[in-house]
Amino acid sequence: MSEPQAAVPMVPVVQVHQADAPGIPFPEGTDLLQVLWCPYAHGEYCYPLPQVHWRDSRGIGDILSTPAPVEGLPEDWYPNPCVVHPEQVTEYPSNDLSWDMRDALRQRFDELHATTGLHYWYHLADAPGIKLGGYPGWTQEPCWPDCEACGGRMEHLLTVASWEFDGESWRTWLPVEDRTDSGWTEAANNPAGLCLGDAGGVYIFECRACPDRPIGHWFDCS
C-alpha cells in the first residue's frame, strides 16, 4: 500500500478580476476568478490538479502569502509572482481546424506564407501561452472534455502553458515592449517560471450550461 500524501497548501496560479476579462462570462454575484492547483503529481502523465473558484472580491479578507515550494515536489509547478496585463486578441483554430477546412484553405495559407513569410499555424491561429478563453493552445491533439452532468462539450476557460511563445510564434504574439534587438529573452518567454512536462500545458474547461459550472481539465506535453 502506498504512503498517504502529506497535506500541503494549494498553489495559487491565476487571479483575474472581471473588469480585466470582459470576454469571460462570470457567474452572477462574482467578480473574481481564482485558479489554484495541487502540487502533487496526478494522473497517468503526472500533472498538478487544478481547482477553480469564482468569488465576490468584497468578501476577500486577509491575503495569505504565497506558499514556498515543498521539498520533494516540483519547484517549477510554483509560478513566479507576475502582474497580469490582459490584452484581448482575435484567434482562429489551429489544431481544432477540421481536415476538410485545412484542405480548403491550403492554397490561401501557401499564398500568405509566400507574400508575408507568415505561417497561419504559428502566427495567425490560436495565441500561445497562458490565456483565458479562446482556443486551447494544444501541444498535442485536441481533447475537449464532456460535462458529466449534461453530456455537452465543455468550453475552454484557461490554458496554463510552460511557454508564452516559441521560436516562430513570437514574431506576432510577443508584445512589442518585451522585444529586444535579438528578438526575445527567456524572461519574456517564461515569466511564470513553469515547466509542465517539458513544453506542456494544463487546460481547464467549464460547462456554462449547468448552473453550478462544473469544471473539467486536460494535460498534454511534448
Side-chain angles (χ1 to χ4, degrees):
M1 181 180 297
S2 61
E3 292 292 328
Q5 295 176 337
V8 300
M10 298 290 287
V11 178
V13 179
V14 171
Q15 175 172 280
V16 179
H17 290 267
Q18 185 177 23
D20 295 323
I24 302 298
F26 279 58
E28 185 176 356
T30 70
D31 63 353
L32 183 66
L33 167 63
Q34 294 179 326
V35 178
L36 305 93
W37 63 34
C38 173
Y40 280 113
H42 294 262
E44 179 182 358
Y45 301 107
C46 298
Y47 58 89
L49 188 65
Q51 290 184 357
V52 172
H53 299 276
W54 302 95
R55 303 188 188 281
D56 182 341
S57 61
R58 294 172 298 180
I60 302 297
D62 295 336
I63 305 299
L64 302 179
S65 58
T66 300
V70 175
E71 184 178 356
L73 298 181
E75 292 188 9
D76 44 20
W77 288 5
Y78 287 76
N80 296 331
C82 297
V83 176
V84 178
H85 299 284
E87 178 181 358
Q88 286 188 287
V89 298
T90 300
E91 289 190 314
Y92 301 96
S94 178
N95 287 0
D96 284 298
L97 195 66
S98 70
W99 287 103
D100 288 343
M101 187 62 70
R102 296 182 196 205
D103 291 339
L105 294 174
R106 192 174 307 279
Q107 182 177 348
R108 296 179 64 180
F109 292 160
D110 291 343
E111 291 174 353
L112 172 75
H113 182 246
T115 56
T116 67
L118 298 177
H119 292 277
Y120 170 81
W121 312 103
Y122 286 112
H123 306 122
L124 298 175
D126 57 308
I130 299 174
K131 62 181 179 179
L132 282 167
Y135 292 94
W138 308 109
T139 306
Q140 299 185 22
E141 291 300 308
C143 188
W144 292 83
D146 292 331
C147 176
E148 294 182 359
C150 71
R153 194 178 87 165
M154 290 186 158
E155 300 196 46
H156 175 238
L157 174 64
L158 174 71
T159 288
V160 182
S162 297
W163 298 344
E164 289 300 297
F165 48 83
D166 60 23
E168 273 291 339
S169 59
W170 73 272
R171 294 171 57 190
T172 52
W173 296 111
L174 175 63
V176 172
E177 59 269 24
D178 291 332
R179 299 181 181 228
T180 66
D181 292 339
S182 59
W184 48 273
T185 66
E186 180 61 28
N189 188 26
N190 191 5
L194 293 171
C195 184
L196 303 164
D198 189 11
V202 174
Y203 312 99
I204 303 174
F205 304 85
E206 65 171 353
C207 178
R208 296 171 186 165
C210 291
D212 56 346
R213 303 279 282 265
I215 295 298
H217 66 274
W218 184 250
F219 167 76
D220 68 10
C221 60
S222 60

